[in-house]
Amino acid sequence: MTARLAAVAAAHAHILARRRSAVALLALLPLAIYGALYRHSPHAVIVGGVASAFSAGGAAIFSMLPARAADQRLALAGYRPAVLITGRLIVLEAGSIVISLITASVMIAGTGPAHPADVFAGVILTGIAAVPLGLALGALLPRELEAVLVLIGIVGIQITADPDTVISALLPFHAASQLLDAADGAPATFWPRLALTVTYSAALLAIAWAAWRHRAGVRRSPTTITPAPRSHQARERD
């Protein structure tokens, strides 16, 4: 199990490495958005932090869609769906944490919030939720363009929606945005928001797993057709 998990993780790390230019642009995107706002908007940290979902979610989409044929071959070779999803998840979450730490450090250095720990926590939780969201979109939608457009829509609504509205609470980055919003105000309680993010992420992973089984799972072998019994007249002719 451990060897197969490591093999799957290495394979998907290779897939992302082949698309390193796109991944690098995704990693720089939230910093570019933050840089455009930090001298002009009091919400620069919130917008930049939630926009970091583009990095983790986009990388998950780029990992999911090109690997469908490889997933089928691995499943035929005996790799269980849980191993294929978990191996991909390990690589993406590890990369997401690294990018989140860099993004949060730059925003803290640029803005100097009163509670920098909330910035780190908010950006990391954004990445934690963005990876399973990207996996779910990559499994549900047929092409990268559609998946990326849906990701842009979800992140855009999360950024622009009032935090107290129902639509904001239903989106996957609500708990993270609350922590980012608290960076310059009263500190927010971390553990309930972590639990909410983990719950949301688990639900998204379940959707990704079910969609993966439907789209890229191994089809059952056709049922063997038993020849019909020969008629009495045919036996007599023989």
Side-chain angles (χ1 to χ4, degrees):
M1 177 69 75
T2 303
R4 289 190 170 190
L5 193 61
V8 172
H12 288 290
H14 181 65
I15 290 173
L16 293 177
R18 288 190 301 177
R19 313 198 65 170
R20 54 186 175 273
S21 298
V23 174
L25 290 173
L26 286 170
L28 292 173
L29 182 59
L31 292 177
I33 294 173
Y34 166 76
L37 293 175
Y38 87 103
R39 290 186 181 274
H40 312 289
S41 171
H43 304 296
V45 170
I46 302 173
V47 175
V50 176
S52 66
F54 289 127
S55 303
I61 290 170
F62 292 151
S63 167
M64 196 71 170
L65 284 169
R68 283 178 179 169
D71 283 347
Q72 275 195 329
R73 290 194 294 270
L74 289 171
L76 284 168
Y79 283 71
R80 298 176 62 185
V83 173
L84 296 174
I85 294 292
T86 304
R88 184 182 282 115
L89 186 68
I90 290 171
V91 173
L92 292 168
E93 291 289 9
S96 169
I97 290 174
V98 172
I99 294 173
S100 297
L101 292 174
I102 294 171
T103 302
S105 298
V106 171
M107 293 195 300
I108 290 168
T111 304
H115 306 289
D118 287 337
V119 178
F120 278 112
V123 178
I124 290 172
L125 289 189
T126 299
I128 288 174
V131 168
L133 175 62
L135 292 177
L137 293 176
L140 288 168
L141 299 173
R143 288 179 291 274
E144 290 175 355
L145 178 60
E146 288 88 341
V148 171
L149 288 174
V150 173
L151 176 64
I152 290 172
I154 292 173
V155 175
I157 294 171
Q158 187 77 78
I159 289 172
T160 55
D162 190 307
D164 297 328
T165 59
V166 174
I167 189 170
S168 176
L170 293 176
L171 293 174
F173 311 114
H174 178 66
S177 66
Q178 287 181 317
L179 287 169
L180 293 165
D181 189 37
D184 275 324
T189 306
F190 172 71
W191 296 110
R193 288 165 177 81
L194 174 63
L196 179 61
T197 300
V198 170
T199 302
Y200 212 124
S201 300
L204 289 169
L205 278 177
I207 293 171
W209 180 82
W212 180 92
R213 288 292 301 267
H214 177 71
R215 281 188 172 273
V218 180
R219 296 179 181 178
R220 294 181 179 178
S221 302
T223 304
T224 303
I225 300 175
T226 304
R230 301 176 68 190
S231 66
H232 177 71
Q233 290 81 0
R235 288 196 299 271
E236 287 182 347
R237 286 197 301 269
D238 293 342

